[in-house]
Amino acid sequence: NAGVTQTPKFQVLKTGQSMTLQCAQDMNHNSMYWYRQDPGMGLRLIYYSASEGTTDKGEVPNGYNVSRLNKREFSLRLESAAPSQTSVYFCASSSPLAGLAGPDEQYFGPGTRLTVT
Amino acid sequence: AQSVAQPEDQVNVAEGNPLTVKCTYSVSGNPYLFWYVQYPNRGLQFLLKYITGDNLVKGSYGFEAEFNKSQTSFHLKKPSALVSDSALYFCAVRDMFSGGYNKLIFGAGTRLAVHP
């Protein structure tokens, strides 16, 4: 049981390049999330997928797109990278209590450290 | 909107001493509060959560948190700090998506440094 896995671990891009960050979970969780972590700002939600087949914008969606490929996988795409997207990106998953949006903990992947020059 | 604040960027404590990492919250309705820890170059790990009931919540690694409704606080505590507790700690509050699903709103984080 690997939990939440992310690839790649590190990436350096030039401004204007594109890339996709991959995330997969093996806990049969319904909900998946993408966050970015910047110093002094905590974690900010980029996009989320409440359940398979749905995606929605979080706090800071500009410059990103997502795909919920199936229940396990949730990818984040940068179409045209900018230096402001230099950050550490975390994927997380969670499973609401049955039938209701009960309080639940999120499980995080190890992160992708992205630098855009 | 729900929010949490962590007023200290860094907390320094000597090994063996008690530690407190502060968190205050602002919510409408009942608060659902969480603490997470992040070790260097790792993702966040769940420590504990408050939903309802006892104001003192016990969690992983000997940590506990005290919920105080009148002070709107949820401080993280440990009676005796270890050097291995040195990490970044995040307080979070549950918010709701439209459609009834959860999301978490995180504080900015507090770096805990435990010195030998």
Side-chain angles (χ1 to χ4, degrees):
Chain A
N1 191 337
V4 180
T5 57
Q6 291 182 239
T7 55
K9 285 190 169 56
F10 301 94
Q11 184 72 47
V12 179
L13 292 178
K14 289 184 168 32
T15 297
Q17 287 185 317
S18 62
M19 79 161 295
T20 300
L21 282 65
Q22 306 286 355
C23 173
Q25 53 91 9
D26 61 2
M27 296 174 282
N28 202 34
H29 284 169
N30 296 327
S31 302
M32 298 185 74
Y33 313 81
W34 276 106
Y35 293 91
R36 58 178 289 173
Q37 183 181 25
D38 301 294
M41 302 190 74
L43 275 74
R44 293 181 292 169
L45 184 64
I46 305 172
Y47 269 93
Y48 63 93
S49 171
S51 60
E52 187 180 358
T54 69
T55 61
D56 267 298
K57 296 178 181 179
E59 298 173 70
V60 288
N62 291 344
Y64 306 95
N65 282 298
V66 290
S67 296
R68 182 76 182 266
L69 304 168
N70 47 54
K71 192 170 186 179
R72 289 187 64 246
E73 298 172 287
F74 188 39
S75 63
L76 178 72
R77 183 159 179 84
L78 286 69
E79 291 291 351
S80 178
S84 60
Q85 294 178 303
T86 294
S87 188
V88 182
Y89 291 85
F90 288 101
C91 178
S93 70
S94 69
S95 184
L97 296 177
L100 287 172
D104 56 343
E105 53 261 36
Q106 294 184 10
Y107 295 82
F108 284 79
T112 295
R113 190 172 294 274
L114 175 67
T115 301
V116 184
T117 61
Chain B
Q2 325 287 54
S3 66
V4 289
Q6 295 181 242
E8 301 155 317
D9 291 335
Q10 178 149 335
V11 170
N12 297 298
V13 64
E15 188 173 32
N17 282 0
L19 68 88
T20 299
V21 182
K22 295 180 180 176
C23 173
T24 58
Y25 66 87
S26 173
V27 303
S28 54
N30 294 323
Y32 296 107
L33 298 158
F34 300 77
W35 276 102
Y36 282 79
V37 60
Q38 184 182 27
Y39 298 103
N41 300 312
R42 303 286 296 275
L44 277 68
Q45 296 177 36
F46 170 78
L47 271 182
L48 52 80
K49 65 183 176 184
Y50 171 82
I51 304 171
T52 186
D54 203 350
N55 289 343
L56 189 63
V57 179
K58 293 192 184 299
S60 307
Y61 312 123
F63 283 92
E64 56 191 27
E66 186 172 10
F67 173 72
N68 188 317
K69 189 172 182 179
S70 63
Q71 297 186 2
T72 62
S73 67
F74 188 56
H75 300 333
L76 182 70
K77 301 184 180 196
K78 189 174 182 182
S80 177
L82 300 172
V83 172
S84 57
D85 293 329
S86 298
L88 191 54
Y89 290 81
F90 290 97
C91 183
V93 64
R94 189 192 74 164
D95 199 355
M96 299 291 286
F97 297 138
S98 60
Y101 292 92
N102 290 332
K103 64 178 175 179
L104 292 177
I105 307 296
F106 286 88
T110 298
R111 189 164 298 282
L112 174 67
V114 182
H115 304 284

